[in-house]
Amino acid sequence: MARDVEALDLPAWSRASGPSQGPQCRDTMAHLDSEVKEECLREDLRFYFMNPCEKFRARQQIPWKMGLQILKIVMVTTQLIRFGLSNQLVVAFKEENTAAFKHLFLKGYSGSDEDDYSCSVYTQEDTYDSIFFAINQFHRLRNLSLGTLGYGESEDNRIALKVCKQHYKKGTMFPSNETLNIDSDIEIDCIHLDLEALSKDPQDWKNSSFFRLEFYRLLQIDISFQLKGIDLQTIHSRELPDCYVFQNMIIFDNKAHSGKIKIYFNSDAKIEECKDLKISGSIQKNTQYVLVFDAFVIVICLASLILCTRSIVLALRLRKRFLKFFLEKYKRHVCNADQREFINQWYILVIISDLLTISGSVLKMEIKAKNLTNYNLCSILLGTSTLFVWVGVIRYLGYFQAYNVLILTMQASLPKVLRFCACAGMIYLGYTFCGWIVLGPYHNKSPEDQHYPRKI
């Protein structure tokens, strides 16, 4: 600081040497020292609020953060596209297997669902035929299926098919006399049919008392079984295959007792780690290249995270200097709005996107190595991080005057737009409830209703 003072153009009496300087000289030196600090603070503030291009012209400082963000956009987007294509194969495999199961186990399935259920039956004979058809198809699965399917073990560690029925405890009903006497308590009876039992004479289990149904008491029949499969289509993409466990359930819903039993097919597919994979070829090399690429993305995001965190720390220090100076010189406190100007919200957005990208990349590497199977969570992390990365591009568009006017207009109008959406949402919500209760029961929900609409 002494050299700075000597460099200033000061009066001759102020440059006098020696310790015998008077009070006026000390006051002058203190005043000059305050001016130097103020000028330094002004320069730091001016430089802090410059954009990267202005900083480069002012101090020839290379905009590392901007270059790193551009590189990160390319890397993260490429990573997301590769994972999206891989995840698309997973979803397609699940959906195609569900469609194949419906054709295999549902008798008379047309290929498209009827509203929210797969198909329906209207007679007792069709109900029995549909139940026995599903059981027989399970027994003959290996000779029928075109896929890489096998039997899975049930809860008691055996290969079996479980059939359960729900019905009222007891009761009598005479519709012609308008008489009903029924116990509303629900009973559940179950039977397990393993492959050994199914290999015997079908009449042995078909004629059992379990399958003597009293339809006026019957509420629901559930047929559940477990199958396993391997997704081989990933090999064409030079990826390791996944092993699946399909928990399937066929539901015959007779709760309405309307003469129509709706048949639902539910398939819950879970990906598990394959116990023994031996695949020769170039798949292992491709997997290693992808893991190296994901590791590089993590390094890029870590560098971006460190630089943005450092910028926020320096901004907080600069704000502290500014608040202290403002209070000492003007005896006033800076308002909260001006204090918030020191915190660059774009940096916070970048930090959040970096954290999400790092977490998603680590999870993706574990999925690629077949140690984890959380595809949905990884999709959420990588998708959200990529969204934030591309939203951050708006910051750099603000450096151009034409785009800056548009961005400032959006920022100023956003609160009013949100208030308008809140008011319009109330009106729309009320209209939705009104339309649902007034017109909902008469809406054409199924193909049958489209041919025979109800009369109001």
Side-chain angles (χ1 to χ4, degrees), residues 50-57 61-75 300 303-308 310-311 344 346-347 350 354 389 392-400:
M50 289 180 180
N51 60 49
C53 299
E54 293 172 344
K55 289 180 180 179
F56 179 76
R57 288 193 293 266
Q61 179 174 326
I62 299 176
W64 295 106
K65 287 194 294 294
M66 185 177 70
L68 195 63
Q69 295 305 316
I70 296 175
L71 177 62
K72 189 178 73 172
I73 289 174
V74 177
M75 300 292 293
I300 294 295
S304 173
L305 179 64
I306 293 173
L307 290 177
C308 291
R310 172 179 171 273
S311 298
N344 194 326
W346 293 110
Y347 289 159
V350 171
D354 289 336
V389 167
V393 177
I394 299 178
R395 176 198 177 199
Y396 300 106
L397 294 178
Y399 299 152
F400 302 95

Side-chain angles (χ1 to χ4, degrees), residues 121-134:
V121 291
Y122 298 89
T123 64
Q124 296 183 15
E125 181 180 0
D126 289 342
T127 303
Y128 282 114
D129 290 343
S130 298
I131 295 173
F132 296 152
F133 178 82

Side-chain angles (χ1 to χ4, degrees), residues 368-429:
K368 192 69 178 178
K370 302 306 175 184
N371 296 326
L372 294 176
T373 58
N374 297 354
Y375 279 89
N376 292 334
L377 178 59
C378 187
S379 299
I380 294 173
L381 293 176
L382 293 181
T384 307
S385 65
T386 307
L387 171 64
F388 288 163
V389 167
W390 279 97
V391 170
V393 177
I394 299 178
R395 176 198 177 199
Y396 300 106
L397 294 178
Y399 299 152
F400 302 95
Q401 184 176 3
Y403 291 103
N404 187 45
V405 173
L406 178 60
I407 293 174
L408 293 177
T409 303
M410 293 172 60
Q411 291 178 348
S413 61
L414 182 61
K416 297 181 180 179
V417 172
L418 293 178
R419 285 193 290 269
F420 169 78
C421 292
C423 295
M426 296 297 176
I427 300 174
Y428 179 77
L429 193 62

